[in-house]
Amino acid sequence: MLTVVTAFNYENDNKSEGRVCMALIGPSLMCADMANLQDSVLRLDQAGVDFFHIDVMDGKFVPNFTLGPDLIKRIREFTNKPFDVHLMVEKPEDYLNLFIESGADMISVHAEATYHLQRTLQTIKDQGLKAGVAINPATPIHDIEYVLDVVDYITVMTVNPGFAGQKFVPLMNGKLRDLTSLINKCGYKIDIQVDGNIGYETIPNVLKNGANMLVCGTSSLFKQNLPLEEAVAKLKGFIQELETNKV
């Protein structure tokens, strides 16, 4: 049986048997209306999202540019929900302090983007934040096997990073299943986050295969002609029904 664990509530020692929990919803703010970002954050907070996912892209590691530390610092005052900063940048270790100071609660770095992955993750943890490692679709899970003791969550990219609106890579369901088995076998409590085309068609399988943190963008939350409050309520109801029926 696949098991997942709850996010945000455990101590620095991440050794555990694991326990089943309600999947957490994190809006991807790169998909929000930038002209009304403050309003969107406030409304999503009130609607009951669990965290905010903030993509940072440098135009080198991925072919796009997005949010930066000044914007994160500006919206930090509008919510107490955790800020999950996803660094899609080369040499992320050079920028950790910028994002820690801007208000990040969690930072994930790509295994492919640094030569010193263990040291970078340990630095994040030493600053009192949750440390995450992200892996692209083609990156095998054995590339992160020897940093599991310093990881709080793993972000499995289910599309190639850089742009919203891409199609889910089907083989990622098998990757999630293998990753969940590895975590359980090693006895750690590590959350599994999925990022990329996480919507009503893909959520049942990612939950079934062990994910418990859902980064939600244009496939589920940010929809034309659907108010954010209704989108969150609809998604929560869908997830609740899946978990009640044990997808």
Side-chain angles (χ1 to χ4, degrees):
M1 177 181 178
L2 295 176
T3 59
V4 291
V5 298
T6 190
F8 313 139
N9 295 323
Y10 44 77
E11 301 299 326
N12 287 334
D13 177 10
N14 70 341
K15 205 79 170 172
S16 173
E17 292 298 322
R19 52 197 164 92
V20 176
C21 74
M22 179 72 174
L24 305 180
I25 296 172
S28 175
L29 290 185
M30 71 175 284
C31 300
D33 179 359
M34 290 296 137
N36 297 286
L37 188 57
Q38 174 183 336
D39 181 64
S40 295
V41 169
L42 288 168
R43 291 168 63 190
L44 288 164
D45 185 314
Q46 290 298 312
V49 300
D50 298 291
F51 63 99
F52 288 94
H53 184 83
I54 301 170
D55 289 305
V56 178
M57 305 181 190
D58 65 355
K60 296 178 180 179
F61 181 69
V62 290
N64 197 3
F65 295 89
T66 55
L67 314 177
D70 290 341
L71 181 60
I72 295 171
K73 186 181 297 185
R74 183 69 182 91
I75 61 174
R76 177 73 277 182
E77 64 185 274
F78 303 121
T79 178
N80 291 321
K81 298 290 175 66
F83 275 8
D84 169 32
V85 175
H86 178 189
L87 294 183
M88 287 178 270
V89 303
E90 292 182 356
K91 298 182 68 178
E93 60 271 20
D94 291 347
Y95 308 104
L96 294 180
N97 285 338
L98 274 176
F99 291 97
I100 292 169
E101 293 169 2
S102 72
D105 301 285
M106 312 162 60
I107 295 179
S108 62
V109 299
H110 272 263
E112 308 89 354
T114 176
Y115 291 114
H116 305 290
L117 181 59
Q118 197 279 343
R119 182 167 65 193
T120 302
L121 293 166
Q122 188 64 59
T123 298
I124 296 170
K125 289 183 72 70
D126 288 347
Q127 294 298 314
L129 282 72
K130 298 298 182 186
V133 59
I135 50 176
N136 287 337
T139 300
I141 60 174
H142 67 69
D143 281 12
I144 60 171
E145 185 173 357
Y146 295 105
V147 296
L148 293 181
D149 62 330
V150 290
V151 167
D152 296 299
Y153 65 110
I154 297 168
T155 300
V156 175
M157 297 302 302
T158 49
V159 301
N160 288 293
F163 299 93
Q166 299 184 67
K167 291 184 178 180
F168 185 97
V169 179
L171 286 178
M172 295 306 98
N173 280 310
K175 188 177 194 176
L176 288 168
R177 187 166 57 249
D178 292 344
L179 178 59
T180 301
S181 296
L182 174 63
I183 292 170
N184 290 339
K185 178 182 177 181
C186 294
Y188 291 109
K189 54 179 182 180
I190 298 172
D191 293 291
I192 299 177
Q193 180 179 95
V194 283
D195 184 0
N197 191 212
I198 301 304
Y200 291 93
E201 293 183 359
T202 57
I203 286 173
N205 278 330
V206 299
L207 293 183
K208 181 179 180 180
N209 289 308
N212 69 322
M213 296 178 68
L214 308 178
V215 175
C216 300
T218 57
S219 299
S220 52
L221 281 186
F222 298 96
K223 297 286 206 177
Q224 288 187 354
N225 304 318
L226 184 64
L228 291 172
E229 295 83 358
E230 292 182 26
V232 173
K234 180 181 177 183
L235 185 57
K236 280 178 169 284
F238 180 73
I239 294 170
Q240 181 66 59
E241 183 177 356
L242 289 174
E243 296 193 342
T244 298
N245 296 326
K246 297 182 180 179
V247 295

